[in-house]
Amino acid sequence: MTWTVAPEPHDSPAAARLWRAYFTEVSDRWYLPRTGRPTAPEELEREIARETGAELAPPRGRLLVARHGGAPAGTAGVRLLDPGRAELTRVFVLPELRGRGGAALLVRSAEEAARSLGAVRMVLDTRSDLVEARALYARLGYRETPRYNTDPYAEHWFAKSLAPADPAAPADTAYPAG
C-alpha cells in the first residue's frame, strides 16, 4: 500500500479522529509514568476541546493528513510563528502503521508546506519521553536549539533551515532562538 499526504481542514472528521488518537497517546505517555494511571476522561476531553487546531488553518497554517492505502493514518501541522519561521506540530502516525515511512513523509511534506507559507526555518518542541520523535527529527536534519517557547511540557527544542542547500555555503549548524 502507498502513502499520500494532502492538506485537510483542521476540523474534518479524519483530522478530529487523528487528533484524538495523538493526544490520547502523548497524554497517557505523560500521565502513566508520573501518576500510574492514564489520562482521566474529563482531562482528555477538556484538552482536546481546548486545542482545536484552528492555528493550523490557512492562511498562516496547514494541517496535513497522511493516508495509507486511502485510510487516514497520520498528521503533521505547520503554523507560522513570525515571517520566515514556522513551527512543526502534531506529527503522528497510527501505532500499527509506524516504521513504514509515513512519519518522514509527513515531516518532509510539512517542510514543503512551511516553505509555501514563506518560512525559511522550521522549529519544534518535544518531550524527553518521546524518544522516537527525537530520533526522527535528528535523522531528518533537525538540531537541538535553545528554548523558543514557554510550553510547560516541552523539554527539547529543535530547528532546521528550510533554505535551499547552497553547496558553497558553510553548514548551517547553529540556530538562534526566537
Side-chain angles (χ1 to χ4, degrees):
M1 289 196 200
T2 60
W3 288 97
T4 59
V5 176
E8 178 115 8
H10 72 279
D11 56 356
S12 75
R17 279 191 307 278
L18 290 164
W19 169 233
R20 177 173 290 283
Y22 166 88
F23 194 83
T24 300
E25 181 176 337
V26 298
S27 184
D28 284 352
R29 284 177 74 165
W30 176 263
Y31 275 99
L32 280 169
R34 289 165 179 81
T35 67
R37 66 169 176 84
T39 311
E42 63 276 3
E43 292 168 319
L44 186 65
E45 294 308 317
R46 182 183 64 240
E47 292 305 312
I48 287 172
R50 187 177 67 80
E51 295 286 335
T52 66
E55 74 279 7
L56 303 177
R60 297 187 50 84
R62 299 286 183 280
L63 178 71
L64 304 173
V65 170
R67 286 179 166 73
H68 187 261
T75 64
V78 175
R79 64 180 173 173
L80 281 179
L81 298 177
D82 50 53
R85 186 175 63 140
E87 182 178 46
L88 177 63
T89 186
R90 294 193 186 193
V91 177
F92 175 74
V93 172
L94 292 171
E96 63 272 19
L97 294 171
R98 292 178 185 162
R100 299 181 188 189
L105 179 61
L106 273 163
V107 172
R108 287 186 188 104
S109 297
E111 291 170 356
E112 287 303 315
R115 283 185 191 96
S116 77
L117 295 170
V120 294
R121 187 165 67 119
M122 184 85 88
V123 296
L124 64 94
D125 68 49
T126 191
R127 299 186 330 227
S128 293
D129 62 319
L130 301 176
V131 293
E132 307 92 340
R134 290 181 16 240
L136 171 70
Y137 302 137
R139 188 171 71 248
L140 296 177
Y142 287 80
R143 301 291 177 254
E144 289 224 35
T145 189
R147 173 187 288 266
Y148 70 88
N149 64 19
T150 59
D151 183 330
Y153 297 104
E155 298 167 314
H156 298 271
W157 296 264
F158 288 82
K160 180 180 179 180
S161 173
L162 298 179
D166 176 357
D172 186 8
T173 57
Y175 300 95

